[in-house]
Amino acid sequence: ALYDKVLQEYPLTTEMGQTAFYRKMKIKFTAGAYQEILENKSSLLKLSKNIAPDKDFMISQSANKLAYQALKDNRCNDAFSLANQYNIGFGKEWDEQKFRCYYSLSKFKEAQTIAHTKVKEVELSQKLLWLYRDYKTLLQLNNKTDALFAGLDLYKLIDLTKTRDKDYDNLLYELFQ
C-alpha cells in the first residue's frame, strides 16, 4: 500500500517511482505472485541495474516457477509456451509429464523422442511402459515398420516378464491387423 501511494505521486519516469515499483515487485516476487512479475516484465526491464539489480533473475525465476507448475498441473500449452518464451529446459525427471503433454497435444514426434530415449535409459521395471509408449507413438506417426519392431520387442518383454495388463492385451491384434 505504501508503494502504491508513492507510485501515485511519483511516476515511473522518476527515480523515486522506479524504486517504489521495484520494491513492490520484489515483495510480490517473495510472496510468489509470479504471474504479476511477468505481467510487469516490460516495466521491470526498463529499470536500471542500480535500482533493480536482480530484475532479470526475478523474471526468469517467475517464468520458471510458472512453467513447472503448469506442467505439474497438466496445463501443457501454458507450460510449453513459457518454456519456449523463456528458454526453460525441463529436466529428465519431468519426462513422464512432458510425454503425457506432448501425446495429449498430438505432438507425437516429441513424445516418441522421449519414449525412445527412456526405453534405453530405464530399468527393466519401467522398460515395458516406455516401450509401449514408444510403440503407440510410432503408430500415431504412421511409422509402421518401426512400430512393428517395437511391438515385437514389447511382446517378447511382456511374455518374458509374464505381465498381464489390459493395455497390452490387444497388442498382438494391433501388430498383425
Side-chain angles (χ1 to χ4, degrees):
L2 172 67
Y3 295 119
D4 289 331
K5 187 173 181 161
V6 172
L7 287 168
Q8 286 175 356
E9 293 182 35
Y10 298 94
L12 278 177
T13 54
T14 66
E15 188 174 335
M16 181 70 81
Q18 291 175 5
T19 302
F21 176 72
Y22 167 70
R23 290 183 179 168
K24 178 180 176 181
M25 289 297 103
K26 188 76 172 172
I27 290 169
K28 297 281 187 183
F29 177 75
T30 304
Y34 305 120
Q35 187 62 44
E36 196 165 341
I37 299 299
L38 295 186
E39 289 167 0
N40 287 285
K41 174 185 169 183
S42 62
S43 296
L44 272 167
L45 289 174
K46 291 176 185 173
L47 301 177
S48 74
K49 285 283 187 189
N50 292 338
I51 291 174
D54 58 349
K55 63 183 178 182
D56 294 327
F57 174 78
M58 287 172 43
I59 292 166
S60 66
Q61 279 299 105
S62 295
N64 210 322
K65 297 274 189 188
L66 289 172
Y68 277 94
Q69 190 61 50
L71 189 59
K72 185 178 175 184
D73 295 343
N74 289 317
R75 291 182 289 113
C76 303
N77 284 325
D78 293 342
F80 292 143
S81 174
L82 284 166
N84 288 335
Q85 187 177 355
Y86 291 94
N87 200 25
I88 298 167
F90 298 110
K92 286 192 175 288
E93 66 274 13
W94 290 89
D95 282 351
E96 171 87 23
Q97 198 61 35
K98 287 189 308 185
F99 174 86
R100 288 177 189 221
C101 277
Y102 282 134
Y103 200 90
S104 72
L105 295 171
S106 300
K107 293 184 176 194
F108 299 117
K109 185 65 185 152
E110 293 87 345
Q112 195 273 326
T113 299
I114 293 170
H116 192 72
T117 302
K118 293 301 273 189
V119 166
K120 296 174 185 176
E121 294 176 350
V122 296
E123 297 176 12
L124 183 61
S125 62
Q126 290 289 304
K127 196 170 287 293
L128 191 63
L129 171 66
W130 285 105
L131 190 54
Y132 180 71
R133 289 173 172 174
D134 191 30
Y135 163 73
K136 293 301 261 184
T137 56
L138 287 165
L139 285 178
Q140 291 293 335
L141 290 166
N142 206 25
N143 187 339
K144 295 193 186 299
T145 303
D146 287 343
L148 177 63
F149 287 119
L152 290 172
D153 287 346
L154 180 59
Y155 179 74
K156 289 177 197 172
L157 191 56
I158 290 169
D159 191 46
L160 180 71
T161 59
K162 307 290 186 228
T163 301
R164 289 287 155 243
D165 188 302
K166 64 180 173 67
D167 288 335
Y168 307 137
D169 288 344
N170 291 329
L171 180 63
L172 282 177
Y173 174 75
E174 288 177 5
L175 281 173
F176 299 106
Q177 64 176 338

